[in-house]
């Protein structure tokens, strides 16, 4: 009886290429990173975890120029509220690093003065969702 031996032709196999994907902020489509249309829009709810210079700017990613324009238009109609930005800065200071013990220390970490901190806290409290556990 004859045995059949499976042989493979010698092929040069290329390693798999890693393609980073992006996600369209408008439609949710995924696409290669190099095809992304990206930019920044003013948004008072956005703070950067690593660089205060980018606070108040949100990076948007779109799958094409039409979706980028639609996203930019959506953010253009959103009001920019200084107290919202300050509240986001305070939230970042309270959740990163060692605990904050005083308003003075909070001011040092956020760059805000006490009246601005109080206005931000008041804004935050006004915009809390209603409690349902009562």
């Amino acid at each position: 009886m004859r045995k059949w031996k499976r042989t493979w032709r010698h092929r040069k196999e290329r390693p798999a290429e890693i393609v980073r994907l992006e996600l369209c902020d408008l439609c949710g489509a995924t696409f290669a990173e190099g095809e992304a249309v990206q930019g920044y829009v003013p948004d008072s709810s956005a703070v950067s975890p690593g660089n205060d210079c980018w606070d108040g700017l949100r990076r948007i990613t779109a799958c094409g120029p039409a979706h980028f324009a639609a996203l930019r238009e959506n953010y253009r109609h959103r009001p920019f509220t200084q107290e919202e930005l300050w509240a986001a800065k305070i939230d970042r200071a309270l959740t990163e690093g060692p605990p904050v013990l005083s308003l003075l220390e909070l001011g040092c970490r956020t760059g805000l003065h006490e009246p601005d901190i109080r206005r931000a806290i008041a804004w935050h409290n006004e915009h809390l969702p209603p409690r349902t556990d009562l």
Side-chain angles (χ1 to χ4, degrees):
M1 186 183 323
R2 190 172 174 185
K3 288 186 177 180
W4 292 95
K5 185 177 176 185
R6 181 178 277 182
T7 61
W8 297 96
R9 292 185 183 160
H10 294 294
R11 292 184 276 181
K12 286 188 177 182
E13 302 229 1
R14 292 186 300 168
E17 187 178 323
I18 296 174
V19 177
R20 293 184 181 267
L21 295 178
E22 288 284 355
L23 181 70
C24 180
D25 293 337
L26 187 66
C27 70
T30 56
F31 49 90
E33 182 180 42
E35 300 170 9
V37 179
Q38 297 175 325
Y40 291 89
V41 293
D43 181 3
S44 55
S45 69
V47 292
S48 172
N51 192 341
D52 294 354
C53 295
W54 294 102
D55 289 351
L57 294 173
R58 180 170 304 280
R59 183 178 181 183
I60 58 173
T61 301
C63 57
H67 281 193
F68 183 79
L71 285 164
R72 193 173 55 206
E73 186 66 17
N74 287 343
Y75 278 97
R76 191 172 72 81
H77 294 292
R78 187 185 189 283
F80 191 96
T81 308
Q82 198 65 45
E83 289 81 3
E84 181 180 28
L85 178 61
W86 295 341
K89 286 176 174 270
I90 291 168
D91 182 61
R92 179 181 56 206
L94 294 175
T95 56
E96 295 177 359
V100 176
L101 302 175
S102 68
L103 279 178
L104 181 62
E105 189 176 349
L106 186 58
C108 289
R109 286 214 204 149
T110 60
L112 300 173
H113 299 286
E114 184 178 340
D116 299 336
I117 293 171
R118 293 190 185 283
R119 285 175 49 194
I121 292 170
W123 182 93
H124 179 282
N125 290 341
E126 289 172 12
H127 291 85
L128 286 173
R131 291 184 62 175
T132 58
D133 61 344
L134 297 178

